Amino acid sequence: MKLQFLGTAAAEGVPALFCNCPACQYAYKTGGREIRTRAGAMLDDVIKIDFGPDSYAQMLANHLDYTRVHTLLVTHSHPDHLAVDELGYRQPSFSHLADERMLTVYGNAAVGKKIAPRLSARIGFQQLTAFETVEIEGYQVTPLQAVHYLHREPNPPQENLVTFEGKTYSRMEQAFIYLIEKDGKAVLWDHDSGLMLPETIEYLRGLDVHLDFVSLDCNLARGQNISPYHMDILQASETAQLLRRMGRADERTRFFISHFSHLLDRTHAELCEEAKEFGFEAAYDGMEIDI
């Protein structure tokens, strides 16, 4: 398999849209790998993971042909991962397609609701269920429960409750991380999630699979994680160690960090040095990995 990081930033991008912090000013002036667009990836030029607002710019930067992509895996409905209006440009009034096969969007119920107005002969939707594997274009795709889009609110509906690290939250939607397998290779795409939920840990523990590639959320600076649904590098390291202890990863597994916020306040070179300390590699926009 081949995976390409198309975007490696959090929702606001780097440099952020409206920010004068030193990290953003440095990125703007320096360019190159300091520029990080909203998170997403392409797997084997076949499966696109997330479709954020920078998908068009990523197409141009990486010479991609979206007309040949018929599978879109969406982690959750946040606009930095699903720019639904952009999908509308696949309709006949905006595009001419040599291949009229449908583009199928896979995701949770909130994703389905968001794209419902765009459904047509060219755009379809299939709802996924956590821990239920589906075959998509020869790949085995398993959505796993992510820790994301959780809120503390008074008197939430009982069915929305989730307990994490001793606190009770209301789950606004069931966000996913993805396990993707093909031809004896396995990828874990673990972005926009905090430390793994017990249900996800137990599912992975029960598998007989070796992870060849793992990409982990690393949103904020070390020790400054203020969110239950993102990770800093310490929590990313804890996740990597957990995967090794349960036998899903070993010295052959390549670990990457991505989904960076400008609040990390790190240049790419500094990120690489910090990542190396934990046995990780720091992703950058356009980075290609052979798995």
Side-chain angles (χ1 to χ4, degrees):
M1 287 194 279
K2 180 189 76 173
L3 185 139
Q4 184 175 25
F5 288 93
L6 302 181
T8 56
E12 68 279 2
V14 181
L17 276 169
F18 304 102
C19 188
N20 296 126
C21 78
C24 287
Q25 291 184 53
Y26 179 81
Y28 187 80
K29 293 175 182 176
T30 305
R33 293 180 182 181
E34 307 302 334
I35 303 297
R36 304 179 186 121
T37 57
R38 270 65 73 93
M42 186 73 80
L43 184 62
D44 288 336
D45 298 321
V46 173
I47 294 178
K48 190 172 190 308
I49 303 175
D50 283 334
F51 196 80
D54 295 324
S55 293
Y56 178 72
Q58 292 163 356
M59 178 190 76
L60 297 178
N62 298 283
H63 307 287
L64 303 174
D65 184 355
Y66 287 157
T67 69
R68 300 176 63 182
V69 176
H70 301 284
T71 296
L72 175 58
L73 290 182
V74 178
T75 55
H76 61 298
S77 70
H78 279 172
D80 57 318
H81 293 262
L82 178 60
V84 68
D85 288 342
E86 299 291 289
L87 286 175
Y89 297 126
R90 204 176 194 273
Q91 306 295 15
S93 56
F94 293 102
S95 63
H96 302 284
L97 294 175
D99 184 348
E100 288 283 349
R101 281 190 299 158
M102 180 180 288
L103 170 67
T104 302
V105 181
Y106 294 82
N108 63 24
V111 169
K113 183 177 181 180
K114 193 170 182 179
I115 72 164
R118 304 295 183 189
L119 297 180
S120 67
R122 287 187 171 185
I123 300 173
F125 173 71
Q126 182 169 326
Q127 185 170 329
L128 299 177
T129 301
F131 310 121
E132 292 187 9
T133 301
V134 295
E135 183 171 333
I136 304 172
E137 300 199 61
Y139 298 80
Q140 300 298 311
V141 177
T142 308
L144 308 176
Q145 287 187 359
V147 180
H148 197 65
Y149 214 178
L150 307 179
H151 291 274
R152 305 294 298 278
E153 63 179 81
N155 303 315
Q158 190 69 28
E159 63 270 18
N160 289 352
L161 295 182
V162 58
T163 300
F164 181 69
E165 294 188 330
K167 296 180 180 179
T168 300
Y169 296 89
S170 176
R171 194 197 327 263
M172 305 305 290
E173 71 175 84
Q174 176 56 78
F176 292 141
I177 59 178
Y178 283 107
L179 172 66
I180 306 170
E181 302 170 79
K182 185 181 181 182
D183 297 334
K185 299 291 185 179
V187 166
L188 180 62
W189 186 260
D190 187 356
H191 290 177
D192 271 55
S193 182
L195 293 168
M196 288 182 179
L197 286 167
E199 297 92 329
T200 296
I201 293 171
E202 288 309 304
Y203 180 85
L204 288 171
R205 196 188 306 277
L207 293 181
D208 181 18
V209 63
H210 172 265
L211 296 172
D212 301 278
F213 170 99
V214 178
S215 188
L216 296 170
D217 188 282
C218 188
N219 195 256
L220 296 175
R222 187 189 309 199
Q224 295 181 358
N225 195 351
I226 58 175
S227 165
Y229 46 81
H230 283 294
M231 291 189 282
D232 64 7
I233 199 164
L234 296 176
Q235 291 173 317
S237 178
E238 184 176 339
T239 301
Q241 291 173 38
L242 172 66
L243 291 171
R244 293 188 184 102
R245 287 196 304 271
M246 68 171 68
R248 301 288 72 80
D250 57 21
E251 68 280 356
R252 296 171 293 159
T253 305
R254 292 182 70 180
F255 283 93
F256 293 80
I257 50 172
S258 187
H259 203 277
F260 306 119
S261 167
H262 67 117
L263 299 176
L264 267 166
D265 193 21
R266 300 283 193 279
T267 66
H268 178 70
E270 290 169 340
L271 267 175
C272 287
E273 284 300 310
E274 191 166 24
K276 187 177 180 180
E277 178 185 344
F278 291 89
F280 297 147
E281 298 175 64
Y284 57 84
D285 285 22
M287 185 181 198
E288 293 189 23
I289 307 298
D290 288 320
I291 303 168

